[in-house]
Amino acid sequence: MANTIEANTLRDWLESDEPVVVLDVRSDEDRAQWAIPGSVHINAYEALKTGQPGALASAMLPTDRPVITVCNAGRVSQAAAAILADRGFDARTLVGGMKAWSLAWNTADIPLEDSTVQVVQVRRTGKGCLSYLVGSVDEAAVIDPSLPADIYVDLAHRRGWTIRYVLETHIHADHLSRARALATRTGARLLLPVQQRARFPFTAVADGDRIHIGAATLAAAHTPGHTGESTSFVLNDAAAVFTGDTLFTNGVGRPDLHADAEAARERARALFHSLVRLRGLPSTTLVLPAHASDPIAFDGQPIAASCGDVASWLSAWLASESGFVERVTSTLPPTPPNFVRIVDLNESGEIPDIDPTDLEAGANRCAVR
Ligand SMILES: [Fe+2]
């Protein structure tokens, strides 16, 4: 039996820069979907599965640090760890593989000129889901939580904040929302954009509504397109804008989930106007999206871009409405895995007693780039 390491421990090691090699033994195809930042890849999956001797013969690995072997679910990687252990390595296998890794997270502080408020970006590194803790004085709001409640409660506690509000920018299709659970756990108010989708109690937020957190303010801006209810939140005097899946640092939200071809075009037209509106923010406003397009390194570097930087590519996209609609309805990536079931659960607000990573594993596919 190979030695093991839990995803949480590996997360802590990477966050604290412990010397470690992560060896990904999956197929090229699986590797291309998503990976652990900084990991080494040797496609040994078939060889290991079929017990071929010398499966990792070509592996050139350092001997002065633990080697963590990783596969999809943590079984084939056991064989890899056993082979390496026989060769004298301190080899351990990641329990639960990439599926367990999908809950690993890290944080980055968002640099803001405005000293009355702090924003922490909380990232699910594998899936690239970005959530935010917005704190001011002794209060905080969480935007788009995608991780278990305790993680946000603990992060807020360490900064002396009490979570008063939990906000969602839209009904998510790529991960199970943890917003309702977090609001229940903390007694915070659950704020969702005005909509007819969610089938559980919430406080509806409409365009222009303002939410006060300590000395900070979030102003809601309805930015439909990715979904009908999609809403962005502008922080204070446009220091930053939380754009959900409407606008990313290098792409825009796909308009086609749960929509036929005509509905997708309709949404694309709405998205065009929402993006024109967001582009009108000051060039210094920081765009803080709900997704990154690649696995997020443990480097503390925020996934963010100024509106000015975004405008450098977005303006070409927004040259004409018809061109934009054509662009975002013709070059769509495959739909996110299990999105119909995930959306249904997020609308019902009931997370069943299942392992959420069974539904969520895999890369994010909410963007058009
Ligand atoms: Fe989304």
Side-chain angles (χ1 to χ4, degrees):
M1 187 65 198
N3 285 333
T4 59
I5 184 169
E6 299 285 335
N8 268 338
T9 310
L10 180 57
R11 186 210 90 80
D12 291 345
W13 285 11
L14 293 176
E15 179 123 293
S16 57
D17 241 345
E18 295 268 337
V20 60
V21 176
V22 178
L23 175 63
D24 184 341
V25 297
R26 294 174 301 158
S27 68
D28 293 353
E29 203 187 358
D30 287 341
R31 168 85 181 180
Q33 292 291 313
W34 63 328
I36 297 179
S39 56
V40 177
H41 181 222
I42 296 177
N43 179 353
Y45 198 78
E46 277 310 311
L48 289 164
K49 230 170 102 180
T50 51
Q52 287 174 34
L56 289 168
S58 67
M60 300 282 285
L61 299 164
T63 51
D64 62 346
R65 58 195 63 193
V67 178
I68 313 302
T69 61
V70 180
C71 66
N72 291 314
R75 279 183 292 273
V76 169
S77 60
Q78 288 181 19
I83 290 171
L84 293 173
D86 277 350
R87 282 171 48 194
F89 287 98
D90 173 7
R92 313 174 197 193
T93 185
L94 179 66
V95 177
M98 290 304 288
K99 195 159 92 66
W101 183 253
S102 96
L103 280 175
W105 57 278
N106 61 39
T107 64
D109 288 337
I110 304 294
L112 292 171
E113 300 284 313
D114 188 334
S115 60
T116 62
V117 63
Q118 290 175 50
V119 175
V120 184
Q121 189 173 58
V122 186
R123 305 99 71 88
R124 263 180 86 168
T125 150
K127 285 196 66 63
C129 299
L130 308 177
S131 50
Y132 296 91
L133 192 57
V134 181
S136 177
V137 194
D138 57 356
E139 296 188 334
V142 177
I143 301 175
D144 289 333
S146 59
L147 287 158
D150 284 351
I151 292 168
Y152 300 98
V153 171
D154 190 47
L155 287 169
H157 179 75
R158 277 194 255 156
R159 296 186 186 231
W161 300 331
T162 301
I163 298 172
R164 297 279 182 224
Y165 299 100
V166 179
L167 288 77
E168 293 264 74
T169 54
H170 66 293
I171 298 282
H172 296 278
D174 65 306
H175 67 267
L176 292 175
S177 169
R178 271 54 167 202
R180 200 172 175 215
L182 178 59
T184 305
R185 159 90 163 70
T186 56
R189 202 142 146 207
L190 179 59
L191 305 177
L192 267 59
V194 173
Q195 59 186 283
Q196 307 298 324
R197 301 181 66 186
R199 305 192 291 271
F200 51 87
F202 64 91
T203 302
V205 178
D207 191 84
D209 283 355
R210 297 169 86 80
I211 300 133
H212 300 285
I213 306 135
T217 306
L218 289 171
H222 184 211
T223 46
H226 172 60
T227 66
E229 77 285 356
S230 283
T231 292
S232 301
F233 295 99
V234 180
L235 177 65
N236 289 357
D237 291 327
V241 58
F242 300 93
T243 52
D245 289 358
T246 299
L247 174 61
F248 304 106
T249 56
N250 57 357
V252 305
R254 61 189 298 164
D256 66 309
L257 295 177
H258 269 304
D260 61 23
E262 190 36 50
R265 294 183 77 78
E266 185 75 46
R267 281 214 214 136
R269 284 189 284 273
L271 183 60
F272 175 84
H273 293 285
S274 294
L275 293 169
V276 168
R277 183 177 180 188
L278 290 171
R279 189 183 51 174
L281 286 164
S283 63
T284 52
T285 301
L286 270 188
V287 173
L288 299 174
H291 280 295
S293 45
D294 295 306
I296 302 160
F298 286 71
D299 58 3
Q301 291 299 313
I303 310 293
S306 69
C307 270
D309 284 346
V310 167
S312 66
W313 56 267
L314 185 61
S315 288
W317 290 50
L318 298 179
S320 80
E321 183 186 292
S322 57
F324 176 82
V325 169
E326 192 50 39
R327 177 173 204 150
V328 299
T329 53
S330 61
T331 54
L332 290 161
T335 51
N338 305 314
F339 84 95
V340 173
R341 174 126 164 86
I342 290 174
V343 166
D344 185 54
L345 289 170
N346 283 340
E347 288 178 347
S348 77
E350 305 295 337
I351 298 201
D353 195 15
I354 53 164
D355 176 353
T357 61
D358 282 339
L359 286 175
E360 295 175 329
N364 160 55
R365 294 194 192 125
C366 274
V368 190
R369 278 182 284 153

